[in-house]
Amino acid sequence: RLQPAEEDGGYVGEAIERLRPNDREVLILVLWEGLSHAEAALVLGCSVSAVAQRLHRARERLRAELNLEEDGDQGRHAWTSIS
């Protein structure tokens, strides 16, 4: 599960809000709610491999959003783990 770092300051939440709805959905189901890929696939109505692919892309997009914020020194160390 995703664990917020103390210095988050809300920047990760803002970065997640800028993601596409499909990206937010899979991140929340798997990383926050702790669903397995199979469980998330049932909720999303897609295959397990589609969940894995969507999650991979969503993580990449979140990292990119956090790196953009980091340039302004806001996103640095925002999460202890995104994977």
Side-chain angles (χ1 to χ4, degrees):
R1 286 187 162 179
L2 240 130
Q3 298 297 318
E6 292 298 320
E7 67 273 10
D8 174 0
Y11 299 114
V12 172
E14 292 171 9
I16 290 171
E17 286 298 316
R18 288 191 299 271
L19 295 175
R20 297 182 317 184
N22 287 344
D23 292 338
R24 283 195 307 269
E25 187 174 43
V26 73
L27 284 172
I28 289 168
L29 289 174
V30 176
L31 300 181
W32 262 282
E33 300 297 327
L35 270 60
S36 69
H37 288 175
E39 292 167 328
L42 288 173
V43 171
L44 297 171
C46 62
S47 68
V48 174
S49 61
V51 168
Q53 185 177 47
R54 285 175 59 179
L55 185 59
H56 175 76
R57 289 179 180 157
R59 285 177 173 150
E60 286 181 339
R61 290 181 181 119
L62 179 57
R63 284 185 188 105
E65 286 293 333
L66 292 173
N67 285 336
L68 288 175
E69 289 184 355
E70 189 172 88
D71 291 341
D73 199 32
Q74 297 174 6
R76 190 165 42 93
H77 306 296
W79 288 94
T80 57
S81 174
I82 298 177
S83 51

